[in-house]
Amino acid sequence: IAMGVKGNDGKAAKSKLSHQVVIICAIALLFVAAVKTIGSAPWHSKAVVREEQHINWLRDNTSSRQSADSVIEDSSASEESNFIQFEFSNLGGVEGSTGIVLVELHPEWAPLGVDRVKSLTAASFWEGCRAFRVVPNFIVQLGINGDPATQKQWASKKIEDDPVKKSNERGTVTFAMAGKGTRTSQLFFNTGKKNGFLDKEGFAPFGAVISGMDVVDRIYDGYREKPDQGKIQRKGNEYLEEYFPRLSFISKARFIARDTALS
């Protein structure tokens, strides 16, 4: 009798184990099917695509994104501010390469020069201006508007000279001129360390770069002094874009409040 009881218990255990295996297999199959369904769902596919696009965007736009992040947005600043932010494009002659240069104006150095720069900035004069004369370790010169009609208006508005109160050190910004009382809209960034000789020639700095001098150094210098200033005056950017397409240029200029600029 005892042997019979043992035999029946073994069969029952085997039968119970078989049922458990079947149930586990069924659950596993349902889980696999559910995962496949989720993976093929439209929302999941879109999420994967968005993630891939984001990764590609970071790979393709790292340098330009870094430049864009450094742009200071400040809609409260006005012409009363002594800080101007210039955004340069085509740095190194490469399309899409941008950078920010922040200039502090110094009325105590050159009040007439500062007033003219502020007027030009308020009139959105700088947008599109090409750096047409770039001599490494000397200067970066710009300030001829891409529209000949606009340039003609400003070319007739000459201002008197400011006495030189600040030396033309690297990083200072100065108006170009053709003699006494001829300053209009052209200016240059001093990139050389030995530009002090310009002081005795009457070139009076009106401001200085307080951030972004590395951007100034990346302004395209491949054409040096080849662009013809007379043709730029007459034909504007049409001439420069055809014959000197790699020139760096100012894409935007705006006033920045002091607290924002120095933060």
Side-chain angles (χ1 to χ4, degrees):
I1 296 173
M3 287 292 292
V5 171
K6 288 181 179 179
N8 289 336
D9 286 343
K11 290 179 180 179
K14 289 180 180 180
S15 176
K16 184 176 182 181
L17 180 61
S18 297
H19 284 298
Q20 290 175 342
V21 170
V22 170
I23 292 172
I24 290 171
C25 289
I27 292 173
L29 290 172
L30 288 172
F31 179 78
V32 171
V35 169
K36 288 183 177 180
T37 300
I38 292 173
S40 60
W43 64 268
H44 181 268
S45 299
K46 290 180 180 178
V48 172
V49 170
R50 281 197 300 270
E51 184 173 324
E52 291 176 350
Q53 288 175 338
H54 183 62
I55 292 172
N56 290 333
W57 183 85
L58 288 173
R59 288 172 181 164
D60 296 340
N61 299 279
T62 301
S63 59
S64 60
R65 180 61 180 175
Q66 289 173 342
S67 298
D69 284 344
S70 64
V71 174
I72 302 172
E73 295 295 344
D74 186 4
S75 58
S76 64
S78 68
E79 198 173 338
E80 298 300 317
S81 172
N82 283 326
F83 296 87
I84 299 178
Q85 175 182 276
F86 295 94
E87 181 175 353
F88 280 87
S89 297
N90 237 39
L91 293 174
V94 179
E95 185 177 355
S97 179
T98 63
I100 300 301
V101 177
L102 186 58
V103 172
E104 180 177 4
L105 306 178
H106 288 272
E108 71 277 16
W109 295 353
L112 298 178
V114 167
D115 285 346
R116 172 52 57 91
V117 169
K118 286 187 174 185
S119 296
L120 291 165
T121 303
S124 300
F125 176 88
W126 305 114
E127 276 102 13
C129 284
R130 266 61 178 168
F132 60 83
R133 184 185 181 212
V134 183
V135 183
N137 299 313
F138 182 38
I139 62 167
V140 169
Q141 185 171 338
L142 51 82
I144 300 178
N145 193 273
D147 174 27
T150 298
Q151 179 57 35
K152 187 175 182 180
Q153 293 176 1
W154 287 97
S156 63
K157 299 178 180 179
K158 296 178 174 63
I159 60 173
E160 293 298 320
D161 298 333
D162 283 302
V164 180
K165 296 182 179 181
K166 173 69 175 176
S167 182
N168 282 271
E169 301 169 353
R170 173 176 162 81
T172 54
V173 193
T174 307
F175 268 105
M177 61 181 184
K180 292 184 178 181
T182 59
R183 296 186 300 173
T184 55
S185 63
Q186 291 191 48
L187 55 78
F188 59 86
F189 291 84
N190 280 296
T191 58
K193 296 180 180 179
K194 298 180 179 181
N195 287 7
F197 69 92
L198 295 174
D199 302 350
K200 61 182 180 182
E201 300 297 327
F203 292 96
F206 60 79
V209 175
I210 60 173
S211 69
M213 197 60 198
D214 59 315
V215 174
V216 176
D217 289 335
R218 289 165 56 203
I219 291 174
Y220 186 68
D221 62 5
Y223 301 126
R224 303 296 174 95
E225 300 179 85
K226 292 181 180 179
D228 185 302
Q229 291 192 40
K231 290 183 178 179
I232 304 173
Q233 299 270 1
R234 295 192 301 273
K235 299 182 179 180
N237 283 347
E238 180 182 349
Y239 159 70
L240 293 176
E241 290 171 359
E242 180 177 358
Y243 295 101
F244 306 98
R246 301 186 68 185
L247 288 176
S248 302
F249 60 91
I250 296 175
S251 50
K252 194 165 188 178
R254 71 186 79 182
F255 291 104
I256 298 296
R258 178 183 175 83
D259 291 344
T260 304
L262 300 180
S263 63

